[in-house]
């Protein structure tokens, strides 16, 4: 049920289960990043081994990392009410015929550009790694940082959506299920069964998404799939983002007014 924010008259949309799950993921991914960073610093100060060796010598920590991300990826292979409609549109059960036949994918050309930019960007890290400047720990830290940035893109601001795709929201995002492949891109040359298995599973998820897109493009277009239309959205992230932006503007306005009053009082 929608409520109005006190003093503003704006409707406040409560968080949906999908959005709450996003926030949970942001929290535990951030905690994992902090934990890996602390371990890396400890490793560099107190031992000469690599972070990979340290993590493999502490199976609990490495197991948590592996289980968390593996579980998230496995969840993406099946229809789920806790996942974003943006990732769920690939499934036949979520294809709601609109009656239209005009399949419109406005951002399909930008897809190749984003993929190229991402590979070139990470190629810098690969070169530094192969040159011996970066070690396994740095590459793992980059992946963990990417995982946090992924949730920031979903919940607050996505540069891909704003600068490249110009899509209305994550629901219609052309590359939604690229996220895990992008997160684990830095692990391409990292040794160890954990890193390789995470990268391999993310690539399987990526290729399944792309194959489904080319076999069933009608599922990915708002014109042909009612599931992607606002009236059927189960996420309401656009409303939450607007509420956050409005809150930030209210804080700025309140701060500016308070500063103005303080300056006025000092002048007296």
């Amino acid at each position: 049920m929608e409520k109005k924010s006190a003093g503003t008259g704006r409707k406040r949309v409560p968080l949906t289960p999908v959005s709450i799950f996003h926030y949970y993921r942001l929290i535990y991914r951030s905690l994992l990043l902090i934990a890996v960073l602390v371990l890396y610093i400890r490793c560099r100060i107190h031992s000469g081994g690599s972070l990979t060796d340290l993590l493999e010598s502490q199976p609990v920590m490495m197991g948590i990392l592996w289980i968390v991300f593996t579980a998230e990826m496995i969840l993406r292979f099946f229809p789920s009410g806790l996942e974003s409609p943006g990732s769920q549109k690939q499934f036949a059960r979520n294809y709601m015929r609109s009656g239209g036949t005009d399949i419109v994918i406005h951002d399909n050309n930008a897809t190749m550009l984003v993929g190229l930019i991402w590979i070139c960007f990470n190629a810098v890290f690969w070169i530094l790694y192969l040159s011996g400047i970066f070690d396994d720990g740095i590459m793992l830290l980059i992946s963990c940082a990417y995982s946090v940035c992924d949730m920031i893109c979903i919940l607050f601001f996505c540069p891909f959506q704003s600068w490249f795709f110009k899509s209305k929201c994550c629901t219609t995002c052309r590359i939604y299920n690229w996220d895990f492949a992008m997160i684990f891109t830095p692990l391409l040359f990292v040794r160890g069964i954990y890193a390789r298995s995470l990268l391999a599973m993310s690539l399987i998820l990526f290729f399944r998404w792309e194959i489904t897109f080319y076999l069933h493009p009608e599922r990915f277009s708002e014109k042909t799939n009612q599931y992607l239309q606002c009236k059927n959205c189960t996420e309401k992230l656009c409303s939450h983002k607007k509420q956050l932006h409005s809150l930030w503007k209210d804080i700025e306005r309140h701060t500016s007014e308070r500063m103005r009053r303080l300056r006025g009082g000092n002048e007296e």
Side-chain angles (χ1 to χ4, degrees):
M1 182 176 180
E2 293 184 348
K3 300 179 181 179
K4 289 188 176 180
S5 300
T8 63
R10 290 191 295 266
K11 289 183 177 180
R12 181 167 60 86
V13 179
L15 288 173
T16 62
V18 178
S19 296
I20 291 172
F21 186 50
H22 289 328
Y23 279 103
Y24 278 136
R25 286 197 293 182
L26 174 62
I27 292 170
Y28 67 67
R29 286 185 182 187
S30 299
L31 292 175
L32 286 174
L33 172 60
I34 294 170
V36 174
L37 178 60
V38 170
L39 280 174
Y40 180 74
I41 294 173
R42 173 187 162 192
C43 176
R44 298 295 293 178
I45 293 175
H46 298 293
S47 69
S50 68
L51 178 61
T52 303
D53 293 333
L54 179 62
L55 288 173
E56 291 181 350
S57 69
Q58 300 182 20
V60 173
M61 183 62 205
M62 197 65 216
I64 291 173
L65 275 170
W66 190 85
I67 289 172
V68 164
F69 288 113
T70 299
E72 284 197 36
M73 284 189 279
I74 290 175
L75 189 63
R76 287 284 183 87
F77 281 101
F78 306 97
S80 170
L82 286 178
E83 280 289 350
S84 168
S87 70
Q88 296 291 293
K89 58 178 175 274
Q90 62 177 315
F91 299 111
R93 62 176 282 182
N94 294 324
Y95 177 48
M96 301 167 57
R97 296 177 185 273
S98 66
T101 57
D102 186 18
I103 300 174
V104 179
I105 310 290
H106 295 292
D107 48 22
N108 204 33
N109 292 331
T111 302
M112 298 300 295
L113 177 60
V114 168
L116 180 61
I117 290 174
W118 189 253
I119 290 173
C120 292
F121 179 74
N122 284 275
V124 176
F125 300 136
W126 293 334
I127 292 171
L128 292 172
Y129 177 79
L130 294 173
S131 301
I133 299 173
F134 280 5
D135 58 12
D136 291 354
I138 291 292
M139 304 306 276
L140 182 59
L141 278 169
I142 293 172
S143 285
C144 289
Y146 281 169
S147 74
V148 174
C149 292
D150 176 49
M151 299 316 303
I152 291 174
C153 286
I154 292 173
L155 290 168
F156 306 114
F157 172 75
C158 178
F160 301 112
Q161 176 189 345
S162 299
W163 300 340
F164 296 96
F165 298 125
K166 310 295 183 181
S167 53
K168 68 170 188 176
C169 63
C170 293
T171 300
T172 57
C173 179
R174 166 66 178 84
I175 64 168
Y176 198 105
N177 266 26
W178 285 24
D179 54 348
F180 285 107
M182 296 173 87
I183 288 171
F184 298 123
T185 301
L187 303 183
L188 180 62
F189 296 105
V190 174
R191 60 185 175 85
I193 187 63
Y194 291 108
R196 290 174 180 173
S197 61
L198 287 172
L199 178 61
M201 190 173 296
S202 70
L203 289 176
I204 293 172
L205 196 64
F206 165 82
F207 284 116
R208 177 184 176 176
W209 175 268
E210 288 302 302
I211 290 171
T212 303
F213 172 78
Y214 286 107
L215 291 178
H216 303 284
E218 69 279 359
R219 300 178 187 175
F220 293 74
S221 175
E222 186 181 7
K223 298 291 186 181
T224 52
N225 189 0
Q226 292 188 62
Y227 178 73
L228 305 181
Q229 296 176 7
C230 296
K231 63 181 180 181
N232 296 311
C233 182
T234 58
E235 194 170 29
K236 304 299 182 186
L237 269 180
C238 57
S239 298
H240 304 153
K241 287 180 179 179
K242 288 176 182 177
Q243 288 170 189
L244 287 171
H245 293 161
S246 297
L247 175 61
W248 181 249
K249 288 180 181 178
D250 289 343
I251 292 173
E252 287 184 331
R253 186 163 49 249
H254 176 75
T255 303
S256 299
E257 180 64 22
R258 189 171 181 81
M259 292 298 295
R260 186 184 65 80
R261 290 177 179 177
L262 287 173
R263 285 195 296 267
N266 291 333
E267 289 174 0
E268 292 177 1

